[in-house]
Amino acid sequence: MPYQDDFGRAINYLRVSVTDRCNLRCVYCMPAGGVEKRAHTDILSYEELALIVRAAAELGISKVRLTGGEPLARLGLPEFVGMVAAIPGIDDLSLTTNATLLARHAQALAGAGLRRINVSLDTLRPERFRQISRRGRLEDVWDGIAAARLAGLTPIKFNMVVVRGLNDDEVVEFARRTASAGWHVRYIELMPIGASAGWSGDGVVPIPEIRARIEREVGTLAPVHGPTGNGPARYYRLPGAEGTVGFIGAMSDHFCATCNRLRLTADGRLRPCLMSDEEIDLRTPLRNGAGPQGMTALLAQAIQLKPQRHRLGEALPPRGRTMSEIGG
Ligand code: SAM
């Protein structure tokens, strides 16, 4: 049974950032020069991360998502996938990736026990992809997706962060793919985190606006009932579409009442809430010999620290750590 917090939320989901480094520099996420590099020894080893996941499983965590930074930028990810997949109680293991490095790893990841992937994709236009990511190639993403399909890492969900003036003119094109190609597309509202922390609101396209544009140009969105995901998205379907349209609006739609997750940063800090700077250091006690039971106790403590709701947009944004650093 998952452990419950003070507000009756069952916490069964852990996002594990395996690295704070990324091979891309998306304009709304990271500064052009990247984030300050942490020393190798600051980052938890795969064995340390796996020990924490095992401790989390003891508390009823059953779903784990690997993220980053770009998780595939860390060497040996398939081996780590194998370690996590073998932990009793973990029955859903997935990965969030920009897919640019996926082609060469998809088969090994699937073989090691990965079930499915989410791909962050903000544009379908090669030139624009380069402009947003400051260095990536859209071609590599397509190769990665093809390899993931071949390896059975499905269903793939595509996450598009919508930014006014940057890619909001592609919202409808993405929605059309849910019918023409069976894609599952999720639109994500820009959050004032990382390179967007100083955001004045100009870049944000509120979910109701995205939804209205799709309905105006493509068709009515019918709500999808039943299990569609583990997270905050609300799902819909366009007429005749095999794929789904999801919306994640941290700002326009507080989903805190159903928040079921904890986040572990690559340097061993546990964040009860993505949008608060509150963190519990696991690395120091772990390296001082706290062991699995000590980790389970600290995880339980973190769950009790989960705020009832986030205060983003009401107070100062988090102190400027990027999504990559906090395991977005
Ligand atoms: N590199 C992996 C990837 O691209 O999926 C995992 C980490 S990345 C930080 C996770 C997600 O956070 C991406 O979809 C990215 O677009 C999103 N993200 C980064 N900064 C954001 C912001 N300020 N608001 C909303 N989403 C953001």
Side-chain angles (χ1 to χ4, degrees):
M1 274 295 284
Y3 197 73
Q4 285 203 359
D5 71 3
D6 284 348
F7 306 103
R9 296 172 297 198
I11 311 304
N12 66 350
Y13 182 31
L14 178 67
R15 290 177 76 98
V16 177
S17 171
V18 299
T19 177
D20 55 348
R21 302 199 182 170
C22 190
N23 58 328
L24 304 183
R25 295 282 180 275
C26 296
V27 289
Y28 58 80
C29 182
M30 278 210 197
V35 294
E36 198 187 319
K37 283 198 176 131
R38 290 199 162 65
H40 210 63
T41 49
D42 286 351
I43 300 301
L44 297 190
S45 68
Y46 283 144
E47 286 70 22
E48 289 171 322
L49 288 171
L51 186 148
I52 295 172
V53 176
R54 215 169 292 121
E58 289 290 319
L59 276 184
I61 297 274
S62 57
K63 300 170 194 310
V64 171
R65 174 171 293 279
L66 307 181
T67 179
E70 172 48 43
L72 287 166
R74 179 161 176 179
L75 284 180
L77 190 71
E79 281 83 340
F80 180 57
V81 164
M83 289 161 80
V84 176
I87 295 173
I90 302 301
D91 58 26
D92 186 16
L93 177 56
S94 56
L95 172 79
T96 291
T97 175
N98 60 39
T100 54
L101 305 170
L102 188 57
R104 68 190 89 142
H105 299 295
Q107 206 67 52
L109 290 166
L114 188 73
R115 296 276 184 86
R116 44 201 181 79
I117 55 167
N118 285 4
V119 173
S120 302
L121 182 65
D122 300 327
T123 178
L124 303 169
R125 304 179 192 175
E127 276 306 303
R128 189 176 276 179
F129 187 86
R130 159 78 54 181
Q131 180 205 345
I132 294 176
S133 68
R134 293 196 182 105
R135 47 177 70 180
R137 293 188 340 148
L138 188 56
E139 252 176 88
D140 295 334
V141 177
W142 299 139
D143 289 348
I145 289 165
R149 289 215 169 98
L150 214 61
L153 294 173
T154 52
I156 299 173
K157 286 182 182 159
F158 293 89
N159 289 336
M160 176 195 198
V161 176
V162 184
V163 186
R164 199 179 300 283
L166 192 67
N167 64 348
D168 60 322
D169 54 346
E170 291 188 66
V171 158
V172 166
E173 267 169 85
F174 271 77
R176 289 210 160 98
R177 295 234 168 175
T178 67
S180 65
W183 276 23
H184 298 283
V185 174
R186 304 192 309 172
Y187 299 94
I188 300 175
E189 227 171 50
L190 186 67
M191 291 182 261
I193 291 180
S196 304
W199 142 85
S200 60
D202 298 356
V204 178
V205 185
I207 293 295
E209 183 181 330
I210 298 174
R211 198 183 151 162
R213 268 199 226 177
I214 295 170
E215 293 211 294
R216 196 172 53 238
E217 293 194 40
V218 197
T220 307
L221 287 163
V224 175
H225 302 290
T228 35
N230 300 318
R234 296 176 196 275
Y235 290 95
Y236 300 84
R237 202 169 249 128
L238 284 164
E242 199 183 305
T244 54
V245 169
F247 297 108
I248 304 180
M251 311 305 287
S252 61
D253 173 18
H254 268 260
F255 37 66
C256 307
T258 53
C259 182
N260 59 348
R261 59 192 57 192
L262 288 176
R263 290 184 148 79
L264 178 63
T265 66
D267 57 353
R269 283 180 276 187
L270 204 54
R271 283 179 85 103
C273 170
L274 170 66
M275 303 185 216
S276 144
D277 275 338
E278 181 123 40
E279 291 176 337
I280 294 187
D281 173 26
L282 296 188
R283 188 182 67 201
T284 310
L286 181 63
R287 292 187 178 170
N288 287 336
Q293 278 178 356
M295 289 302 108
T296 306
L298 287 169
L299 281 150
Q301 221 182 76
I303 290 176
Q304 297 312 332
L305 284 175
K306 274 180 79 64
Q308 188 169 16
R309 63 194 289 268
H310 75 71
R311 303 268 164 214
L312 218 58
E314 296 168 23
L316 285 176
R319 71 181 128 79
R321 294 233 274 162
T322 64
M323 287 286 258
S324 263
E325 290 171 293
I326 58 188

